[in-house]
Amino acid sequence: MARPCGLLTRLEEPVPLKSISVTLSICEFVAGVSATLNYENVEKTPLEAFFVFPMDEDSAVYSFEAMVDGKKIIAELQDKMKAHGNYENAISQGHQAFLLEEDKCSRDVFCCNVGNLHPGSKAALTLKYVQELPLEADGALRYVLPAILNPRYQLSGWPEDSCLKMKTLVVPLEDLPYTLSMVATISSQHGIQRIQCNCPLSPIEYLGDDKTSAQTSLADGHKFDRDVELLIYYNEVHTPSVAVEMGKTTMEPDCLMGDPCAMVSFYPNIPEAKPPITYGEFVFLMDRSGSMGGPMSKQDKSQLRIEAAKETLMLLLKSLPIGCYFNVYGFGSCYEACFKRSVKYSQRTMEEALRKLKVMKADLGGTEILTPLKNIYSGPSIPGHPLQLFVFTDGEVTDTFSVIKEVKSNNLRHRCFSFGIGEGASTSLIKGIARVSGGASEFITGKERMQSKALRALKRSLQPVVEDVSLSWDLSPGLSAKMLSPEQTVIFRGQRLIIYAQLTGKMPPAEATGEVGLKYTLQGKSFESKVTFSLQPKSDANLTIHRLAAKSFLQTKDMGFRETPANDKKDVLKVSIECGVISSHTAFIAINKDLNKPVQGPLVRRDIPRPILLCASAMMPRGGAYTKASSSYRPPASRPVRSSSYDSCASYERNRYDPHRSTISKSLYSLVFGDNHLVQLISLQKADGSWDLNEGLAMVLGMSLEDILAALPIQDEDSSGWATVLAVLWLHTNAKDMKSEWELLERKAVAWIHIHAGSVMNVLMRAAIAFLKSSVDPAVFVL
């Protein structure tokens, strides 16, 4: 029997998707993307093809068109239910039809349907979107082209009409039957310093002596084993600016697309408060689902996600201020709490939490985050200690909008800091829960360290709240600004603030200028930043600023196909269709009515296979489509899945706190944290910031305990002061490149030295510098 030729699935069915080509244009901090899906039907029967793929949560998709055998068909954005009806009617009548939609359960998953693709026919489907690029801590702008869509955990009884319910075949990376190419152009008036990528690129070509633009492309052979991530460094990124874009001349005035639109970017210079606040309730919610047992990425197999998360949690616990409250939750198909309710931070409670951290594994099954969130929110507030929630997850959940709705309903009592771990984490979940709670989100991929990003978030949470945030406009008479972005109530130090406004009224002459000011209060002191700008709007055929403004509005109102309130749904539909930006309530539909050939029998269905990474393939059942709920977790017979809100498991009880032990034993920290001397040193620190002088510290310092004791300059002095000074010097000498990870706990240690060894601090410091032969500046001990 002859074997089918061409690209095949594992079931030896030809795959109609042949390639994906992407054109990327980045100007300053906005990306414009055109992605084309190239299909060809090499079979002898008409096909209906389905392709489920990831998109970034912040993408404003505004165009969808099909080129079929040389003919262009422009899609129309319609109410989602209407679009589905029109698609089915077109297919049944023998027309070609193309449908593009957001998934009903998650904003970062899209589905593209190609209906009635005739034998020998070729179709190129192009979607276009624009996106703000986030600013990283080191000043880089980060663009990610999602290539990984991990299997999402599916709750029993979850709606069948989700794209994520589709039984899409998954194949190993080497068997993936389509290719990815990308060409990128980058420009900035400030000049480009450098460009980095986690994937091989062609040589970067800089244009002009001032390097204001650059071109590059993705090297051939991308294996869909990671998202494509570009980090762009400009010579200057912190300059406030205002851009005014002309509206669509064919639209009526007083509507969003008809009026000029302004995009304002501020970089508030918020001073760092010293010392930081010492109150708050800190709750850490850690994903312990089966997928957390995989590596951080294919390129970095040295550390599993759960191990990186445990190390990060240890650093966070050591960095908490004395006087606060805390708790730790682990969640999967069930959840466990370290304490029944949050407890006051002390040496005893910290050590008990660390002992439970020791036995933490990725063994709790699926990813059901909603139930533990409800439990956390159901607890009574602690007076004077506002709740700060830290969520660590690989984001493989299905009920994204339900989770975001729950967080939003409690946004007045807490802030949420969220962390997406590994390739393919849900941007909809991670960004969504941070946005609706006034927190911040981070993504950790490749060889990035989770620890530094988590500690940066903790540092933000320990800063006093910026209050009385307001925006003021000084415009020409007869012109006013209508805010499109949500009211800004929280600003973090180092954060970029982007605001959109619709300019209504009579536009002034070309030479006219306007002014916009940002005011806020910090610890009783008022601050203000102002930017003067030209009121003459500039033309942009893609209406980029208008699309981004519409996306900002939709993210505020659109809570998902099933979760959006009726009044908000009306606004979402109006803005989405008027601006041409897709939402969870709309879909793009294109119909080729010129091709009216009756279909002989039913269409043959072809689902485009998705790649699967090593960490997921280990959990994939043989012989079929993969759903995380059915395969990622097999609870041991001796320990049933727990569903109670609090569980004090036996293995935890065996490690209960012993008041006679002054610190965690050498065997404990070596078992948990291996041979990493920095992590070992930090694991020995006590809750109040000090270190005890013991064998564990001596091992990190590389000296004998006897020699360290003999070098103590004041024999009657408490050895803890000597040990703490030595530990601080070791950090500055041996781990200065990782200061962002230990800065908070080091400040706690220095504060302890001033309180408990202040009278002899200078003596201890000079002796320690000489003993360690250190060149560290003694100024590090200044508060």
Side-chain angles (χ1 to χ4, degrees):
M1 180 178 177
R3 294 175 61 84
C5 61
L7 301 172
L8 308 175
T9 68
R10 280 194 163 184
L11 300 179
E12 296 193 342
E13 299 166 340
V15 175
L17 179 63
K18 304 303 179 184
S19 65
I20 303 171
S21 56
V22 176
T23 301
L24 167 66
S25 177
I26 296 175
C27 182
E28 305 299 352
F29 54 84
V30 174
V33 183
S34 175
T36 300
L37 311 175
N38 296 295
Y39 290 84
E40 181 181 1
N41 183 4
V42 297
E43 299 188 63
K44 295 180 180 180
T45 55
L47 296 181
E48 183 176 21
F50 297 85
F51 182 39
V52 179
F53 59 96
M55 290 279 286
D56 192 282
E57 142 87 11
D58 291 331
S59 302
V61 180
Y62 67 89
S63 174
F64 182 54
E65 61 186 39
M67 181 71 75
V68 184
D69 298 327
K71 180 186 178 182
K72 182 183 287 188
I73 309 148
I74 306 297
E76 179 186 352
L77 191 61
Q78 299 179 354
D79 178 288
K80 181 173 282 190
M81 301 309 295
K82 179 183 176 182
H84 273 266
N86 289 339
Y87 175 82
E88 296 297 337
N89 290 338
I91 295 301
S92 66
Q93 294 172 28
H95 302 311
Q96 281 183 332
F98 309 91
L99 185 73
L100 178 71
E101 62 179 326
E102 278 186 8
D103 183 60
K104 290 183 178 180
C105 299
S106 189
R107 194 178 277 128
D108 62 345
V109 178
F110 275 62
C111 184
C112 180
N113 298 12
V114 179
N116 203 2
L117 189 62
H118 279 250
S121 187
K122 293 182 180 181
L125 309 186
T126 299
L127 62 97
K128 296 179 181 179
Y129 66 89
V130 290
Q131 176 188 347
E132 296 171 8
L133 299 184
L135 187 65
E136 297 289 291
D138 62 355
L141 290 164
R142 181 175 183 260
Y143 169 74
V144 175
L145 177 64
I148 302 298
L149 176 58
N150 289 327
R152 303 284 174 94
Y153 177 73
Q154 297 175 6
L155 296 168
S156 58
W158 198 248
E160 294 294 331
D161 55 357
S162 167
C163 304
L164 296 167
K165 276 283 189 179
M166 201 177 289
K167 301 296 183 183
T168 306
L169 185 74
V170 289
V171 297
L173 300 174
E174 61 271 16
D175 295 339
L176 200 66
Y178 47 88
T179 61
L180 173 67
S181 62
M182 184 184 78
V183 176
T185 303
I186 299 153
S187 61
S188 170
Q189 62 178 332
H190 301 292
I192 302 167
Q193 193 179 100
R194 67 184 188 276
I195 299 168
Q196 295 177 355
C197 185
N198 66 332
C199 301
L201 294 176
S202 65
I204 299 171
E205 181 183 357
Y206 291 97
L207 307 179
D209 295 334
D210 53 0
K211 295 175 67 174
T212 54
S213 63
Q215 293 179 343
T216 187
S217 59
L218 190 64
D220 292 340
H222 181 75
K223 298 298 184 184
F224 285 86
D225 58 345
R226 71 198 94 162
D227 296 334
V228 180
E229 179 184 85
L230 283 175
L231 295 176
I232 301 109
Y233 295 84
Y234 296 144
N235 291 326
E236 176 55 60
V237 293
H238 295 99
T239 304
S241 64
V242 180
V244 181
E245 182 180 85
M246 188 181 296
K248 208 171 183 179
T249 54
T250 57
M251 301 289 287
E252 293 290 327
D254 297 329
C255 72
L256 174 53
M257 295 301 283
D259 285 332
C261 191
M263 179 170 65
V264 183
S265 60
F266 275 111
Y267 300 84
N269 185 22
I270 300 174
E272 184 175 359
K274 292 184 178 181
I277 59 176
T278 58
Y279 54 83
E281 179 189 3
F282 299 87
V283 175
F284 304 100
L285 184 55
M286 189 68 68
D287 190 342
R288 288 176 54 189
S289 61
S291 56
M292 286 289 288
M296 289 292 293
S297 79
K298 186 181 178 184
Q299 289 72 43
D300 182 19
K301 298 179 181 179
S302 61
Q303 192 170 38
L304 301 180
R305 295 177 183 181
I306 189 66
E307 294 303 320
K310 287 167 65 173
E311 185 179 309
T312 301
L313 186 53
M314 187 271 292
L315 283 167
L316 288 166
L317 290 175
K318 294 289 184 174
S319 301
L320 289 178
I322 288 290
C324 73
Y325 287 75
F326 80 103
N327 203 352
V328 179
Y329 284 74
F331 72 93
S333 298
C334 62
Y335 68 91
E336 299 173 348
C338 188
F339 306 100
K340 194 164 187 176
R341 289 296 177 198
S342 294
V343 295
K344 196 160 188 176
Y345 181 69
S346 66
Q347 182 65 19
R348 183 187 66 81
T349 56
M350 183 195 74
E351 287 202 4
E352 187 167 347
L354 287 174
R355 261 185 289 279
K356 294 178 179 182
L357 177 64
K358 172 192 171 183
V359 296
M360 183 184 288
K361 297 178 181 178
D363 60 354
L364 291 186
T367 313
E368 295 187 29
I369 191 174
L370 191 56
T371 306
L373 277 175
K374 288 181 175 180
N375 178 264
I376 291 168
Y377 295 143
S378 68
S381 298
I382 302 173
H385 293 270
L387 176 62
Q388 313 266 20
L389 178 62
F390 291 72
V391 177
F392 297 85
T393 177
D394 56 16
E396 298 175 7
V397 301
T398 304
D399 56 338
T400 301
F401 286 121
S402 299
V403 175
I404 294 172
K405 181 182 178 182
E406 181 68 23
V407 174
K408 185 179 182 180
S409 66
N410 291 276
N411 64 354
L412 295 180
R413 58 169 294 197
H414 87 300
R415 288 187 296 183
C416 179
F417 298 87
S418 53
F419 303 86
I421 302 171
E423 306 285 353
S426 170
T427 59
S428 184
L429 176 71
I430 303 303
K431 292 183 179 181
I433 59 177
R435 184 180 60 250
V436 299
S437 65
S441 60
E442 296 277 8
F443 291 86
I444 302 102
T445 59
K447 294 184 179 181
E448 289 181 308
R449 284 182 63 78
M450 186 189 309
Q451 295 85 338
S452 59
K453 292 193 172 186
L455 268 294
R456 182 173 73 182
L458 179 61
K459 195 172 180 180
R460 282 177 165 179
S461 73
L462 290 171
Q463 290 294 306
V465 176
V466 173
E467 299 174 311
D468 303 325
V469 181
S470 64
L471 208 66
S472 60
W473 297 83
D474 184 4
L475 304 174
S476 298
L479 190 64
S480 61
K482 177 185 177 183
M483 297 299 296
L484 298 171
S485 302
E487 180 183 356
Q488 197 72 32
T489 57
V490 177
I491 307 176
F492 295 110
R493 189 169 181 268
Q495 179 186 20
R496 180 188 62 198
L497 192 61
I498 296 180
I499 300 154
Y500 296 96
Q502 178 182 345
L503 301 183
T504 60
K506 185 179 179 181
M507 293 302 292
E511 64 275 7
T513 60
E515 186 179 79
V516 59
L518 174 70
K519 296 181 180 179
Y520 55 92
T521 303
L522 177 66
Q523 293 182 306
K525 187 177 180 180
S526 296
F527 296 85
E528 184 174 11
S529 300
K530 291 183 178 181
V531 182
T532 301
F533 61 97
S534 170
L535 284 171
Q536 184 63 27
K538 295 183 179 180
S539 176
D540 179 357
N542 293 325
L543 294 163
T544 300
I545 293 178
H546 284 76
R547 312 286 192 193
L548 291 172
K551 181 67 177 182
S552 176
F553 176 87
L554 292 172
Q555 284 181 319
T556 305
K557 295 282 189 178
D558 188 358
M559 287 292 107
F561 187 77
R562 296 175 181 84
E563 303 287 350
T564 306
N567 289 341
D568 287 343
K569 180 181 176 181
K570 183 179 177 182
D571 293 337
V572 167
L573 278 170
K574 179 178 182 297
V575 171
S576 177
I577 293 174
E578 176 188 307
C579 300
V581 175
I582 202 168
S583 70
S584 65
H585 298 276
T586 52
F588 279 106
I589 174 76
I591 299 174
N592 183 9
K593 294 186 177 180
D594 291 348
L595 185 68
N596 193 1
K597 300 178 182 178
V599 178
Q600 300 299 319
L603 292 174
V604 176
R605 176 177 177 133
R606 292 288 180 259
D607 293 329
I608 309 301
R610 300 204 315 266
I612 189 164
L613 296 180
L614 292 175
C615 57
S617 63
M619 300 180 290
M620 186 177 70
R622 295 177 178 268
Y626 168 85
T627 55
K628 182 175 174 185
S630 65
S631 60
S632 65
Y633 179 56
R634 295 289 183 268
S638 60
R639 190 190 65 185
V641 175
R642 293 173 289 277
S643 59
S644 62
S645 62
Y646 175 73
D647 178 55
S648 184
C649 64
S651 58
Y652 285 179
E653 287 299 310
R654 285 194 297 270
N655 291 287
R656 182 171 291 280
Y657 172 73
D658 179 355
H660 298 293
R661 295 169 61 186
S662 61
T663 187
I664 297 177
S665 67
K666 175 181 173 182
S667 59
L668 175 59
Y669 74 65
S670 61
L671 277 172
V672 180
F673 304 116
D675 296 327
N676 185 323
H677 283 183
L678 171 62
V679 177
Q680 290 177 0
L681 178 68
I682 293 171
S683 71
L684 291 168
Q685 188 185 30
K686 297 169 70 174
D688 61 8
S690 67
W691 274 266
D692 283 338
L693 187 54
N694 54 29
E695 288 286 356
L697 180 62
M699 188 179 73
V700 172
L701 296 177
M703 300 178 178
S704 71
L705 183 59
E706 291 75 14
D707 288 344
I708 298 173
L709 282 169
L712 180 61
I714 307 172
Q715 293 302 316
D716 294 334
E717 182 66 24
D718 180 8
S719 63
S720 293
W722 177 234
T724 305
V725 170
L726 290 171
V728 169
L729 284 175
W730 189 96
L731 288 171
H732 284 277
T733 303
N734 298 279
K736 57 185 177 182
D737 291 341
M738 301 170 74
K739 185 177 179 181
S740 60
E741 298 182 18
W742 50 258
E743 186 177 14
L744 285 175
L745 60 89
E746 182 264 0
R747 288 293 87 192
K748 190 162 66 168
V750 171
W752 182 91
I753 293 169
H754 277 260
I755 295 171
H756 297 278
S759 61
V760 295
M761 183 180 70
N762 289 333
V763 176
L764 294 175
M765 181 179 63
R766 287 193 298 269
I769 289 174
F771 178 62
L772 295 178
K773 298 181 176 61
S774 172
S775 59
V776 172
D777 187 344
V780 301
F781 289 94
V782 176
L783 278 177

